[in-house]
Amino acid sequence: MAKFDIEISEVGPRDGLQSISTIMPTADKLAWIDALAAAGVPEIEVGSFVPASVLPQLADTAEVARYAREIAGLSVAVLVPNFRGAQNAILVRPTKMSIPLSVSETHSLRNVKRNHQQVLEEVKRIAQLVKSLPVDQRPKFEGGLSTAFGCTIEGAVSEDKVVELAVALMEAGCDEVGLSDTTGYANPAQVQRLVKKVWAAVGKEHLTGIHLHNTRGQGLANALAAVEVGITTVDSSMGGIGGCPAAPGASGNIVTEDLVFMLEAMGLKTGIDFDALFAARNILANALPNEPLYGFTPDAGLPKGFQRAL
C-alpha cells in the first residue's frame, strides 16, 4: 500500500529561508529537517546552489544536503540556477535537482540573469552531465516553469508560451517539468486549464508537481484544483514562509500545516503525522523568533475526534 496519495514537498528550507533576512544557523536547519522527516514529510527542498554573496541565507546548502541525504527514505531536492550550480549540487548526490525557467523573460533576466535560450542551453549541459553519471547516482532533473500563471513585472503570461517552454525543457533533457505560481496570480480554473494543456504537450507522466503561492489567498483553492485534476505532488512551506526575491510583492507559500489538514480531512493520505509536524513548527519558531509564521490549523488545533486518512 502506498504511503501517500499526495506527496508534500516541503520547500521552507529553500524557498522560505531565501526570502527572509534572518540567517538560520546550520544546526537549527538540521534539527528542523530532522523533525520534518520524522513527521513523515517525504521530500524536502533543502537549499539552492547559488553564490553565498547572492543568498547568504543558503550558503550552507552543501552541508545541509549532505546531512539530509543520510536520513533514510527522505527525498532530498535542491535548486540550481545554472550549470556551475549543478556541478556543485551533484557532489552531494541529491535525489532531485531543479532549474527555474521563468516564462516571463524579464523575470528570468532578473532571477538568473539569462534569457530563455541561455537557460535552455544550461539545461542541455546539465542534462548531459546527469547522463554521464552512473544510473544509480543520477538525480531526477526537473525544469521548473516559474511565473507560469502571471508575472508582477510583465503582467499576463501566455499559456501557449508556457506549453512551448515545457516542450523545450523536455527536448533539452529534463526528466519532468513543474508549474510554479511564483507571483500568486493563479486561480483554480487557470490551474486546471494549464495543467491539461501541458499534459497534452509533454505527457501526464512528465508533469506531476505544482508550486503555488498564497499571495492573494488562493493557495489552498489552487492546490485543491490541482489535486482534483490529477496532480500528485504539491509544494508548500511550513508556516507559509517564503516568496520570490526577484518578483516584487510575491510573498507567501502555501502553509504546509493547512495543506496537510485539508488533504487528510478529504481522506487523502499524506503520510504525515500532525503531532510531529507541529513539533517541527516549534523548532522553526524558536529558530526564527522574529519572523511571522502563518497557518490556521496550528492556531485552531485539530477538530475533536479528527482521524488521519488510512
Side-chain angles (χ1 to χ4, degrees), residues 96-238:
K96 178 180 174 181
M97 186 167 63
S98 300
I99 185 170
L101 172 57
S102 301
V103 184
S104 159
E105 200 154 37
T106 308
H107 182 269
S108 182
L109 289 166
R110 182 175 295 190
N111 192 40
V112 296
K113 298 179 173 58
R114 287 168 173 79
N115 62 27
H116 288 161
Q117 192 55 47
Q118 289 170 323
V119 174
L120 290 170
E121 289 301 319
E122 296 285 307
V123 170
K124 291 176 184 178
R125 295 179 68 199
I126 295 170
Q128 290 172 354
L129 177 62
V130 170
K131 289 174 183 175
S132 73
L133 300 171
V135 173
D136 63 347
Q137 295 180 24
R138 296 176 187 173
K140 182 185 293 184
F141 182 33
E142 179 193 65
L145 290 157
S146 304
T147 65
F149 299 91
C151 175
T152 52
I153 306 168
E154 290 189 8
V157 166
S158 165
E159 293 183 0
D160 289 343
K161 190 66 176 179
V162 177
V163 174
E164 175 190 324
L165 290 176
V167 171
L169 284 168
M170 293 301 301
E171 291 178 345
C174 286
D175 298 311
E176 63 184 21
V177 297
L179 292 177
S180 178
D181 183 22
T182 313
T183 57
Y185 274 31
N187 64 71
Q190 184 185 20
V191 166
Q192 295 194 342
R193 185 174 63 246
L194 191 54
V195 166
K196 291 175 182 177
K197 285 185 176 182
V198 175
W199 277 346
V202 304
K204 194 169 184 178
E205 70 277 16
H206 297 305
L207 168 61
T208 61
I210 195 163
H211 179 99
L212 300 163
H213 283 211
N214 196 43
T215 313
R216 290 167 180 80
Q218 302 301 300
L220 284 183
N222 289 332
L224 177 58
V227 167
E228 286 182 334
V229 81
I231 287 293
T232 54
T233 298
V234 182
D235 292 0
S236 61
S237 176
M238 176 157 277

Side-chain angles (χ1 to χ4, degrees), residues 302-307:
L302 299 176
K304 185 176 181 180
F306 179 80
Q307 297 290 323

Side-chain angles (χ1 to χ4, degrees), residues 70-90:
E70 297 302 315
I71 301 175
L74 179 66
S75 175
V76 178
V78 298
L79 184 141
V80 300
N82 50 38
F83 180 74
R84 182 173 181 179
Q87 287 179 305
N88 292 332
I90 280 173

Side-chain angles (χ1 to χ4, degrees), residues 241-260:
I241 61 172
C244 178
S251 61
N253 285 285
I254 298 177
V255 176
T256 298
E257 302 91 312
D258 289 343
L259 175 63
V260 172

Side-chain angles (χ1 to χ4, degrees), residues 283-295:
I283 291 175
L284 176 62
N286 290 332
L288 300 175
N290 298 318
E291 297 293 339
L293 299 184
Y294 304 98

Side-chain angles (χ1 to χ4, degrees), residues 58-73:
L58 304 181
D60 57 358
T61 290
E63 180 181 352
V64 173
R66 287 192 184 94
Y67 181 87
R69 283 290 285 132
E70 297 302 315
I71 301 175

